Amino acid sequence: MSDSPNLLLPEWTDLWQQTLNWSPTPTQQAQFQALLIQLCELNKSVNLTRITDPEDFWEKHLWDSLWGIQPWLNHPSEDLRAIDIGTGGGFPGCPVAIVQPQWQVTLLDSTRKKVACLEALCQGLPLSNAYPVCDRAEELGKNPRYRGKFDVALIRAVGPVSSCAEYAIPFLKVGGTAVVYRGQWSIEEEQILQRALTQLGSELTDLRAITTPLTQSQRHCLHLKKVQSTPSKFPRKVGLPTQQPLGIE
Ligand code: SAM
């Protein structure tokens, strides 16, 4: 039960089951509730998210974060390394770390104040399998401790799709998957992405569309598989992936 009745998170077990064929355990539900409360507390000092109404939070942060990893939701025994690039207030990385306690989830953001909040959040929940890191994806993606080390890279709302690919692919092991969360999706974006992926040594293996269960918004999710090691020139220097996105002719 929440200490703040106005922040009581709905359970909606049936809705989880109908839409993702999965539902949280009581422990995970309690962690989701604690995540909402702590985020609202931290939000008083640092702007982490505008989405704090419990139903909105359920759909736009919890449900949306988890539908992207649906192929892994029913395989909890796998022990994977994941990175959430441009995690902001911890999405999709925190819900993913909660439902996959055996994964190691790096939460990367370039804004120091947000990362300090995420450190407090991970200590407070606690969320011992999530590791906040402050850096630019362009810099950390060159660091040998992080480059080529992840099975899964998650990226939501961090610029044009080919910039997301350029940030994410270098972090992956060959055979790893980048999960790119998008709202609308177009043929033009797909053509740009395909050209970018050729340069990055990656392939689009899955493109799914879904309508969100509460507000009926359109969402898309792309899975990009790394098929060969990334040329050392990627990611390019800070700023270039968004100023001059790959694949634009
Ligand atoms: N992923 C979160 C979500 O969907 O709620 C936050 C999205 S927010 C719009 C974009 C975040 O990406 C910001 O917190 C920003 O600091 C971070 N960011 C932008 N460019 C980045 C980069 N090159 N490296 C690391 N973080 C970056």
Side-chain angles (χ1 to χ4, degrees):
M1 246 319 191
S2 156
D3 294 340
S4 323
N6 55 340
L7 288 177
L8 187 60
L9 190 66
E11 290 194 13
W12 289 335
T13 308
D14 291 348
L15 200 48
W16 281 118
Q17 281 296 344
Q18 285 158 22
T19 53
L20 301 188
N21 192 28
W22 170 91
S23 55
T25 63
T27 303
Q28 290 165 349
Q29 177 70 21
Q31 286 176 296
F32 288 163
Q33 176 69 76
L35 178 64
L36 170 61
I37 291 173
Q38 294 209 18
L39 211 54
C40 288
E41 201 47 47
L42 292 163
N43 230 12
K44 291 176 185 165
S45 49
V46 176
N47 184 16
L48 294 169
T49 180
R50 287 176 295 105
I51 300 164
T52 54
D53 166 76
E55 294 195 2
D56 261 7
F57 183 84
W58 185 93
E59 182 183 67
K60 299 191 174 71
H61 278 331
L62 299 180
W63 185 90
D64 191 63
S65 293
L66 298 182
W67 90 277
I69 63 149
Q70 194 180 8
W72 292 278
L73 273 180
N74 292 313
H75 301 281
S77 59
E78 272 185 300
D79 182 3
L80 301 180
R81 264 192 93 181
I83 182 166
D84 179 15
I85 301 157
T87 188
F91 302 98
C94 285
V96 168
I98 288 171
V99 306
Q100 300 286 18
Q102 70 299 337
W103 288 19
Q104 307 290 309
V105 183
T106 297
L107 304 172
L108 171 65
D109 203 280
S110 55
T111 306
R112 191 159 296 283
K113 276 197 278 188
K114 291 185 184 177
V115 174
C117 286
L118 291 174
E119 281 164 357
L121 190 75
C122 291
Q123 274 200 338
L125 277 178
L127 197 52
S128 57
N129 61 327
Y131 310 96
V133 173
C134 184
D135 207 336
R136 297 278 312 197
E138 300 93 317
E139 301 281 5
L140 203 71
K142 300 254 186 220
N143 181 326
R145 285 182 52 215
Y146 291 85
R147 186 180 179 87
K149 295 291 193 285
F150 293 87
D151 303 286
V152 180
L154 310 165
I155 186 160
R156 184 178 86 162
V158 193
V161 69
S162 56
S163 316
C164 290
E166 185 172 353
Y167 290 149
I169 304 295
F171 285 112
L172 293 172
K173 301 172 182 170
V174 172
T177 302
V179 178
V180 184
Y181 296 73
R182 309 298 292 176
Q184 298 299 323
W185 186 244
S186 67
I187 296 288
E188 291 72 31
E189 275 181 295
E190 190 162 334
Q191 289 166 342
I192 291 168
L193 176 65
Q194 291 288 8
R195 288 193 289 269
L197 293 183
T198 303
Q199 297 185 62
L200 293 165
S202 179
E203 286 173 1
L204 175 61
T205 52
D206 194 21
L207 168 56
R208 286 178 297 138
I210 202 162
T211 303
T212 64
L214 299 185
T215 59
Q216 276 74 52
S217 314
Q218 268 292 296
R219 304 284 295 143
H220 290 82
C221 180
L222 289 74
H223 284 188
L224 315 178
K225 185 170 179 181
K226 178 159 169 171
V227 291
Q228 58 194 60
S229 86
T230 313
S232 58
K233 63 182 174 186
F234 299 120
R236 291 167 293 162
K237 67 179 193 195
V238 168
L240 276 184
T242 48
Q243 287 154 20
Q244 295 167 28
L246 295 175
I248 296 184
E249 291 186 321

